[in-house]
Amino acid sequence: MTSYKTIKDVAVITIENPPVNALSLAVREGILDGLSRASKDDTVCAIVIIGGGRTFPAGADISEFANGKAFTKPLPQIIEKIESTQKPIVCAIHGTAFGGGLEVALGCHYRIASTRSKVGLPEVNLGILPGAGGTQRLPRLIGVWLAAEMICSGKPIEAVDADAKGILDDLVEISSLESVQTEYDKLLDAAITLALRVKNHSLEGKRVSQLKVEPVSDFFYEQLALQISKNARGMNAPLQALKAVKASAMFPFKEGMQREQQILGRLFVSSQAKALQHIFFAERQTMKIPGIDMKKGVPIKFVGVIGAGMMGSGIAINFIKKGIPVVLIDAEQEFLDRGVKAIEDYFKGRVKKGKTTRFLADRSLGYLRPSLHYEDLSNVDLVIEAVFENLDVKKSVLKHLDEICKPQTILCTNTSTLDIDQIASATNRPDRVIGTHFFSPANVMRLMENVAGSKTSERTIASVMQISKTISKIPVLVGNCFGFIGNRMLFPYNNQANALLQEGAFPHDVDKVLYDFGFPMGLFQMSDLAGNDIGLHIRKAQGIVDPSQRDPNERYVSTTADKLCEMKRFGVKSSKGWYSYAKGSRKGRPDKEVMDLIVENSKAEGFVRRNISAKEIEERCLYALINEGFKCLEEGMAYKPGDIDIIWIYGYGFPPQKGGPMHYADAVGLKKIYDSILQYGKADPKTSAWKPSKLLEQLASSGKKLAKYWTKKLKAQSNL
Ligand SMILES: CCCCCCCCCCCCC[C@H](O)CC(=O)SCCNC(=O)CCNC(=O)[C@H](O)C(C)(C)COP(=O)(O)OP(=O)(O)OC[C@H]1O[C@@H](n2cnc3c(N)ncnc32)[C@H](O)[C@@H]1OP(=O)(O)O
């Protein structure tokens, strides 16, 4: 995991633990061994620590947190050893020196970095803090202000910025065109040169732990704490990390380290840390699907998008930003012009905000080719239709595409609810048809639900999953059922919210509970933002708005929602919805007209309104959601519990510190959830969402956790 060599009397310890050189136990042992060899060898005058391959260590090995290995030869001790070594140690950074990686660098006496590299302490995103001296050394090196900003936000910075802040001693200029190997060679060369230059220098002032911290006023900590509470609402780690940074200014290094370790110990075992680390791995597991070989994907070099509305233009932006040419089609010049303008405005905005340069923005726009003619799609590798959400319209678009596009072209339909098999049946290539459910705004939201129909081929799935990654999305493969995973689960969740209105709650009561749980907003606020007519459109498509078409054995909860649309209370866009809005504002106020309507409807529908506790609101909304998640798993519509968690975190704002609905279910206890579902179902027999999932029932009665059960199941499957 490490290698050791000497070049011009400089010992070079290279960390070799691909892909990201995480500081696993074997790496830590290798560093210790290298230090010991270099210290004992009289011919060695200085030491360089460098990462092999593409990067300096991107952190401690996160998988060692759960299995306890992190506590053997722990990283703080290794860094102490590095710092106290009597020969100068130069750390050479390329790629991403994150977390423990940067902490190793802070333990070295000199730091140089490639201009292409990034450094950061992202531990708070994993629910912990930089626990190998980062909270104590960084403030000593660059001051409390800058250090606290970096540590509490977890955001990485570019090497140039790190140099300006005083983290680095020198930069090695590497252009974007140079290979990783050239970068490594130049960096090593510069590190050895520096090591030879400083070989006889005193290490006085070079051991960061011995530097003094300038104290800052309490006002600073208070302001930062306020900012953190707003930006990272509900997250423990950033505020705890701030406490550790404060300790660096209050105590000598050794005592500061003790404080850091105490806080780390508490965070380590917290439910938030477990949830956030689960998310870290779940996000990376979405590409691992049993039975799908991602290498079978074909490269996508040329793309078509049908529909230049908000969705279509948003989709197009994703591709042109990555240098993939897009033909954007609409039927009318006026619509096409509007779409193109929206895309141009998006890039203008980015330039204005300093997020890109005019040159890069123009380069991206150069990849856009607006057209009124389907014939211009004859040569694309993949085409995504983003037309009106209507089965017949989508079928006719795909039929037309099937006739025009080359036989290998993959045909994607951007739908949030429609049946992929029915859409694919309009073509002669159902194996090359797949759903790509982008979330709005499509150029911002990272989630993509890719929906496999019954005939979609492995090659099509792999190609679309790969290209989704290329455009920086988090793709999740899901099965073809109504609403797929995200919207399917949204229905029972939303229905409970509406049922609660019938029984005694108001929108702001429900929304407050969901907001307090950690969602960025409640369901009614979300519905107002999206447009209440969308829900109505879906209910109409389900045929449940007309009372004569409804199943009499199923409770209908959306009378008020339907009436709101009749009253043109569509939400923010009409300044009135579940709430009322001042012109141009997205902040809703409870509205008497709506509250009266709710009370009136309760009465008309035979409900005696009652006070409903926050606990009941939370349980009913979340347990209905979770139960549906279990049903998605047992039916094979979701491939892994973690996939559902990712969909709900990235698509619907489920609080990441709770790990997503399925992780949360395990944390609450499946038996408790199952029993509550039975109880709510008894009180409300006409709500089919309360029929418990078989899988939930089975796990609740056997006392098993979903995550463990599913991992075992997948392992058994892959061994078959
Ligand atoms: C009671 C008192 C207790 C005190 C006792 C003290 C003992 C404990 C000591 C602990 C000390 C803590 C030290 C430190 O402060 C903690 C950390 O360092 S936490 C880690 C911080 N780093 C990160 O969070 C970075 C995470 N990684 C990334 O952001 C990205 O991976 C990347 C580096 C930007 C690269 O991105 P990509 O190129 O897109 O690649 P992937 O993300 O897909 O990753 C590829 C592959 O690598 C796996 N991986 C990535 N990082 C880690 C990691 N840090 N550990 C383990 N594995 C990692 C990732 O899962 C992928 O795996 P694959 O899916 O391919 O199997």
Side-chain angles (χ1 to χ4, degrees), residues 18-20 22-24 54-55 57-65 70-72 74-76 79 96 98-101 103 120-123 125-126 128-134 260-262 264-266 268 280-281 284-285 288 469:
V20 300
L23 292 152
S24 317
R54 63 168 157 130
T55 188
D61 183 341
I62 302 166
S63 65
E64 286 189 354
F65 297 167
F71 296 90
T72 308
L75 194 57
I79 296 175
T96 45
F98 286 174
E103 290 173 299
L121 293 170
E123 285 87 341
N125 300 323
L126 300 168
I128 57 170
L129 50 62
E260 179 190 275
Q261 296 299 297
Q262 277 165 5
L264 175 68
R266 284 199 297 272
F268 232 69
F280 176 86
F281 287 115
R284 285 156 180 84
Q285 291 281 322
K288 292 176 187 146
K469 271 284 209 197

Side-chain angles (χ1 to χ4, degrees), residues 293-299 458-464 466:
D293 179 357
M294 288 297 163
K295 286 191 216 93
K296 292 210 171 131
V298 295
E458 183 183 9
R459 185 182 293 262
T460 301
I461 293 172
S463 307
V464 169
Q466 297 280 22

Side-chain angles (χ1 to χ4, degrees), residues 289-316:
I289 305 156
I292 306 286
D293 179 357
M294 288 297 163
K295 286 191 216 93
K296 292 210 171 131
V298 295
I300 306 294
K301 294 186 177 143
F302 188 16
V303 167
V305 176
I306 315 278
M310 202 177 126
M311 191 46 103
S313 45
I315 292 172

